[in-house]
Amino acid sequence: MQTMPAHAAHHNDREIETLEEFDATVSARGTLAGFRVQAVDLTDRTRELLTTDTAGAVFLGCPMREDAAAKIRTDGALVFPPVPDLPFDPYRGLVYSPDELFAFLADGYEATPDAQAYAWFQRTKADGDIFASMLRAVHDDSVSDALDELLAGARVVGVMGGHAMARGTEEYAGAARLGRELARAGFTVATGGGPGAMEAANLGAYAAPHDDDMLTESLRILGKAPTFTPSVTEWATAAFEVRGRWPKGGSSVGIPTWFYGHEPPNPFASHIAKYFANATREDGLLARSDAGVVFLPGAAGTVQEIFDNATPNYYRSRGEPTPMVLVDRAHWTEKLPAWPLLQSLARGRSMEARIALVDRIEEAPEALKRLGG
């Protein structure tokens, strides 16, 4: 089973994103010239900053003492100081963890950094502040950079599906088994990071190292809070109860957005790349699903994702088309007939051999393998 490194190999070895990397660089190289230091608290590294060359370096949101900041500016470094009173760090070097986004959940969901970031987004979006929109863009770009580093070398399968799929249903259990099977087959499961089908697939990946009883019992516990309405607090607390009882779950990725603020991220994705801009998030999720995408029954959002994924496959704008598996024949041929349109688009093109429609969730992993050649 594939496990993702906590901090994958850098595309750019000039980036420093943790205090450990900072210390290692200073002791090994004796210089910080030209480096990019991202969101590292350097308050206790004044001596190092005062005695190390920082010419051409860039410090993004790194707390430091005033004398250190003055000295490195004199060296010719660029210093972007931390922005006070923000509920998020726009310069962050790593993606989020569930514990980080759901900190203070015991005081109610409204107290969490996730809810605070959404409230800030609502406030600043309404008044059209240019500084706020710049901070959102910088944050989203930092998250994309961190996500690329995390997924370097991984075989990513996207699982798309609606947020309306309730815990306690047979559909939810099926989506969880799908996530588990994909993770056990060595794929990194990536979802939109929200509730419903997305949560189920992340739960399945989390359950991959555990036995069958763990998944059965987890589904029972989660069924007590079937949806995130009326209470996100109860919904999320049930998920953390599962995580507490079975720690050391398998890793997977969730890529949610504050654009849909009513929709919280799910705590089963070990790595959460959360965005302000939904368009960046949608495209990023599909572009990174290099080993294929499974589409579970959903509504408008999932239909949009099918064709967002089909377009680069049609034009081969990202190279060879990637596998697309649609699950539930009746849903995708009668209720929302996306399949006939997808078939027509694919006809006579190289993507034709990379699409499949299956009846049952259990058939999806096999179809993916078959289409992936």
Side-chain angles (χ1 to χ4, degrees), residues 245-299:
R245 276 185 64 174
W246 294 278
K248 299 194 171 60
S251 56
S252 67
V253 175
I255 306 182
T257 173
W258 279 294
F259 179 76
Y260 297 127
H262 61 282
E263 219 179 85
N266 80 74
F268 292 110
S270 50
H271 305 279
I272 302 177
K274 191 154 189 177
Y275 289 92
F276 288 106
N278 188 45
T280 310
R281 166 252 190 171
E282 288 277 359
D283 191 57
L285 175 53
L286 293 165
R288 289 175 177 87
S289 299
D290 54 4
V293 183
V294 178
F295 297 91
L296 300 174

Side-chain angles (χ1 to χ4, degrees), residues 1 176 179-180 183-184 201-212 214-216 218 246 249-251 268:
M1 190 172 70
R180 185 174 67 173
R184 285 178 175 172
N202 287 127
L203 166 67
Y206 187 88
H210 297 283
D211 61 11
D212 286 359
M214 176 269 180
L215 186 55
T216 307
S218 298
W246 294 278
S251 56
F268 292 110

Side-chain angles (χ1 to χ4, degrees), residues 166-178:
R167 294 165 169 178
T169 60
E170 192 37 58
E171 290 79 13
Y172 184 97
R177 288 192 295 272
L178 170 68

Side-chain angles (χ1 to χ4, degrees), residues 163-164 167 194-196 225-236 261-264:
H163 65 259
R167 294 165 169 178
T227 68
F228 61 94
T229 54
S231 168
V232 174
T233 307
E234 282 172 33
W235 174 86
H262 61 282
E263 219 179 85

